[in-house]
Structure formats: C-alpha cells, structure tokens
Amino acid sequence: MHEFDAYSPAEIAARVSEGGVTKARLPLTSLFLLGLLAGGFVGIGALYYTIVISDSALPIGLARVIGGICFSLGLLLVVVCGAELFTGNILIAMAWADGSITLLELLRNWLIVCVANFIGAAGFAALVFLSGHWEMNGGAIGASYLKIASAKVALPFWKAFVLGILCNNLVCLAVWMSFAGRTVIDKFVGVILPISALVHI
C-alpha cells in the first residue's frame, strides 16, 4: 500500500529541493517556453473562474467557491505538465538555501520565468479577446474581466504588495502539497484548496 501513501514532510522537502536544482539548470529555451505555457495555463484557470462568477443566478459566496475551484485548473496544469510558474518557483529558494544552486542560478530562473509568464499570459489574453469570448452571456463575462482588472489596478502599492505575498504563500503551499502526491488525483487534491482560497484574498 506504500505507493498510495503521501510522501512525508521530510521527503517532500527533499523532492522540492531536488526539483529546484533541475529547474534552476534548465536550458534557456526550455525554461522560456515552459514559462510561456505556465502563463497561458493560469490564463485558462482565470477564464474558467470568470465564466463562473459572471453568472448572476449564483449567490456570490457560492459563485466564488465554485470559481475558486475552477481557477485551480491553472496551477494543476502547471504542476502536471511541468510548466514553469514564477510564483511556484519561489520554492527554488530551498535549493539555494541548502547550497545546491548558486544565487545567480536562482535569480536567472526567476527573471526568465517571470518575463515568460507575462508574455504567455498576455498572449493568451489577446487570443481570448480576439475570439470574442468576452461577449458571452450578453457581455457579462467581459464586464467581469473589466471589474476584476479595475479593482486590481486601483489597489494602493503596499496593499497590492502584501496581498501578493499572501497569494504567493498559498501558491507555494499548493505546489508543496502537490509534491506530497504520487498521482494526478493526489496532486489535484493538494492544489485545489489553497488555490481556491487564493481568489478570496
């Protein structure tokens, strides 16, 4: 039955550190392309979330819970497909902390992945716009996109910064928990609650 058990905390820490070494030393082209994919994957989760919360027939609390579960799809795709997401790659710091990689390798990964995530997410957003997806439900989906974006850009800098830290904590917890699992279902269970909580911050 051992193969059905979750990895222990010590085993998870070792797996995260080993994974961090691999990620930090990926070739530039692979790292960039996997970063592009991650940006698109998170966009898919955001699209799924927006469809749900745009349904005015759902009570707001229920819509956000279901929407949060749907948003989890983005990180699940990242984890299962092996894409490179900046917020999850913060955990590479563990490999640096135990001396397995250099600070330069750590910063190289973060910089390339952050830029690639932005391009991937922006490209996916452009495709969604050009597809006319925002016109669905009588334009309610487009209105939801605008409402979310307006609320984000209206945040004062320090509030946005602190909220970003809190959200990143949840992403790192979700990635950490995904390392505890041995199957895709295990990973889904590990990812879904932290990420569905993220949309409420």
Side-chain angles (χ1 to χ4, degrees):
M1 292 296 290
H2 176 73
E3 64 269 19
F4 296 107
D5 295 337
Y7 288 99
S8 70
E11 290 173 320
I12 297 168
R15 295 184 75 218
V16 169
S17 184
E18 291 165 9
V21 173
T22 301
K23 286 175 174 289
R25 294 177 180 163
L26 279 172
L28 176 62
T29 302
S30 297
L31 187 61
F32 185 76
L33 292 176
L34 289 170
L36 288 178
L37 284 175
F41 289 159
V42 172
I44 292 171
L47 181 148
Y48 202 4
Y49 167 81
T50 308
I51 290 172
V52 173
I53 66 163
S54 299
D55 187 349
S56 58
L58 289 172
I60 186 169
L62 182 60
R64 293 194 62 136
V65 169
I66 297 173
I69 293 169
C70 292
F71 186 68
S72 302
L73 173 63
L75 186 61
L76 184 64
L77 288 170
V78 168
V79 167
V80 174
C81 298
E84 296 290 316
L85 183 66
F86 174 78
T87 47
N89 281 13
I90 294 298
L91 283 174
I92 297 176
M94 287 188 62
W96 170 73
D98 67 20
S100 299
I101 62 171
T102 67
L103 181 60
L104 185 60
E105 288 174 318
L106 175 71
L107 296 178
R108 168 188 176 269
N109 179 279
W110 285 354
L111 177 62
I112 294 169
V113 169
C114 188
V115 171
N117 286 172
F118 175 80
I119 296 171
F124 182 78
L127 290 175
V128 171
F129 176 77
L130 293 172
S131 73
H133 175 268
W134 55 275
E135 298 173 329
M136 290 174 61
N137 195 15
I141 291 179
S144 293
Y145 283 136
L146 291 175
K147 182 178 178 181
I148 293 167
S150 297
K152 298 293 184 188
V153 299
L155 288 170
F157 173 80
W158 283 111
K159 185 174 183 179
F161 183 75
V162 172
L163 287 172
I165 292 173
L166 292 173
C167 288
N168 202 104
N169 284 339
L170 287 168
V171 173
C172 286
L173 285 170
V175 172
W176 179 276
M177 290 174 68
S178 77
F179 272 94
R182 299 174 187 269
T183 69
V184 172
I185 293 174
D186 293 341
K187 294 179 187 301
F188 177 71
V189 172
V191 163
I192 192 169
L193 287 178
I195 300 304
S196 62
L198 183 150
V199 301
H200 299 282
I201 291 180

